[in-house]
Amino acid sequence: MRNFTSVHDLGNLQEALKEALEVKANKFGYQHLGKNKTLLMIFFNSSLRTRLSTQKAAMNLGMNVMVLDVNQGAWKLETERGVIMDGDKPEHLLEAIPVMGCYCDIIGVRAFAQFENKADDYSEKIINQFIQYSGRPVFSMEAATGHPLQAFADMITIEEHKKKKRPKVVLTWAPHPRALPQAVPNSFAQWAVAAGYEVVITHPEGYELDEQFTNGATIEYDQAKAFEGADFIYAKNWAAFADPNYGKILSTDRSWTVDEAKMGLTDQAFFMHCLPVRRNMIVTDDVIESEQSLVIPEAANREISAEVVLKRLLEGLEG
Ligand code: AN0
Ligand code: CP
């Protein structure tokens, strides 16, 4: 594998999920691949899980790891070409990227949607410049439109807990005080359809996601109806995608918060969320603390999804 930004880069998803279970059973079995190889992780945005799990995965593989927080300690980066750089940004991304490529073998990038220009976000302008100019394999640690390492970990978690061959998996919007990207729900929907599950997405009107990610899923505006018979409830907030409201908050209606009463409509569903989560906005204390909550196993599987991706990128270097 040369780069990892989407489910399509993995090839056959069933095989990748099988490989994930093998890696989970033998985390330190591939250290020959990472010896004397350096991972550089670049963060334009905050992170707890991605930072720690990806570093841990790289260490499992015997790699050296460097982390750069672009907004803390590095020069502020201009990202637009043609700008007269007389403002507060002393360096341009177009020099910074190839320089970063000089010091490492693989680059991970976290760069959220900026909600300033939909075309820039949905063309994945930032991570694609890393792919184009770094000379190194690049993987997404949540880019503008997707969070594939999270979705991969979520699919591993569903495979480990499902009781039916084809479970009903419901992605539900829930309220949040700030505008959040569509990356996590886009990837979750796309990967859950690719995994062959029955996928239902529920949200207030106006929160429709980009169909390139939700194709194959059913949209149900009635949250209670969507929850009926569900095996997994995956909660997430996102800001509007559709024009003219791109990046805007249309509702903070707390009747969409996932609570015990709604979980009671499901077929004893498991509760999932990528974290970080705002309690009693997205989900009540009792649901997230219940035995059906998978939020910690999901986070644990981030180490595994990252290890499979790094392993495949390292194998790609050898080819
Ligand atoms: C981010 C988001 O919603 O995309 C990261 C989630 C993994 N969440 C926040 O910014 C709170
Ligand atoms: N789920 C996730 O990616 O968390 P972080 O933002 O803490 O990395």
Side-chain angles (χ1 to χ4, degrees):
M1 189 163 72
R2 175 67 192 177
N3 299 297
F4 175 73
T5 59
S6 144
V7 66
H8 304 303
D9 295 316
L10 281 185
N12 184 310
L13 179 55
Q14 300 306 329
E15 277 171 25
L17 287 166
K18 218 173 113 220
E19 188 177 334
L21 299 180
E22 286 162 15
V23 165
K24 191 164 182 171
N26 184 24
K27 284 191 216 176
F28 305 107
Y30 308 93
Q31 298 206 335
H32 57 285
L33 290 171
K35 189 173 185 309
N36 292 336
K37 295 285 190 290
T38 299
L39 168 66
L40 173 58
M41 299 198 283
I42 316 272
F43 288 93
F44 288 86
N45 311 94
S46 304
S47 167
L48 186 157
R49 278 142 293 273
T50 304
R51 177 184 301 258
L52 296 179
S53 62
T54 310
Q55 179 158 1
K56 178 64 165 66
M59 294 190 299
N60 293 348
L61 288 163
M63 298 184 81
N64 302 308
V65 183
M66 299 190 298
V67 183
L68 182 69
D69 289 295
V70 170
N71 298 321
Q72 291 164 25
W75 303 110
K76 262 193 161 179
L77 297 176
E78 176 58 61
T79 56
E80 291 300 315
R81 226 178 138 266
V83 166
I84 297 168
M85 288 173 56
D86 60 357
D88 65 338
K89 294 174 180 158
E91 179 151 30
H92 203 288
L93 199 62
L94 291 175
E95 282 77 54
I97 291 175
V99 168
M100 294 182 215
C102 296
Y103 308 137
C104 64
D105 300 281
I106 295 177
I107 303 183
V109 180
R110 166 162 285 203
F112 290 177
Q114 291 170 332
F115 287 153
E116 282 164 15
N117 180 321
K118 184 174 181 174
D120 284 355
D121 288 343
Y122 271 73
S123 64
E124 289 289 5
K125 193 171 161 187
I126 302 282
I127 198 165
N128 279 331
Q129 292 190 86
F130 276 88
I131 290 170
Q132 196 176 349
Y133 299 115
S134 71
R136 301 294 175 202
V138 171
F139 66 97
S140 166
M141 300 196 299
E142 186 172 341
T145 67
H147 193 357
L149 283 176
Q150 180 66 47
F152 191 9
D154 294 333
M155 296 310 121
I156 297 167
T157 311
I158 292 173
E159 286 301 301
E160 288 175 327
H161 290 86
K162 72 180 189 185
K163 297 185 185 118
K164 298 174 190 153
K165 192 165 186 298
R166 188 166 187 262
K168 177 175 175 182
V169 174
V170 177
L171 166 62
T172 182
W173 180 92
H176 191 276
R178 303 222 192 292
L180 295 185
Q182 295 103 24
V184 170
N186 282 345
S187 288
F188 184 79
Q190 184 180 39
W191 286 64
V193 169
Y197 309 142
E198 179 191 349
V199 183
V200 176
I201 306 176
T202 184
H203 53 69
E205 285 193 35
Y207 277 102
E208 293 75 14
L209 293 162
D210 186 343
E211 284 177 13
Q212 67 167 304
F213 299 104
T214 60
N215 260 331
T218 305
I219 313 298
E220 169 57 66
Y221 294 106
D222 181 339
Q223 191 190 31
K225 215 163 155 194
F227 273 45
E228 279 170 19
D231 299 296
F232 293 87
I233 298 295
Y234 194 95
K236 184 74 185 82
N237 174 267
W238 62 89
F241 166 75
D243 293 321
N245 294 319
Y246 178 67
K248 295 212 172 85
I249 296 176
L250 307 179
S251 166
T252 50
D253 179 359
R254 297 224 326 270
S255 75
W256 280 80
T257 302
V258 178
D259 62 12
E260 287 281 15
K262 277 177 214 159
M263 290 303 284
L265 301 169
T266 70
D267 189 5
Q268 294 181 304
F270 290 103
F271 174 80
M272 301 179 75
H273 189 279
C274 63
L275 307 181
V277 72
R278 289 185 187 241
R279 285 180 174 219
N280 304 309
M281 288 293 299
I282 303 282
V283 58
T284 57
D285 293 312
D286 44 9
V287 170
I288 197 167
E289 290 171 5
S290 73
E291 281 191 2
Q292 295 304 99
S293 174
L294 295 179
V295 296
I296 308 303
E298 281 177 86
N301 278 331
R302 290 293 306 276
E303 177 185 347
I304 308 308
S305 64
E307 187 165 342
V308 173
V309 166
L310 285 169
K311 173 175 172 284
R312 288 198 177 189
L313 292 172
L314 288 165
E315 287 164 349
L317 287 179
E318 295 192 334

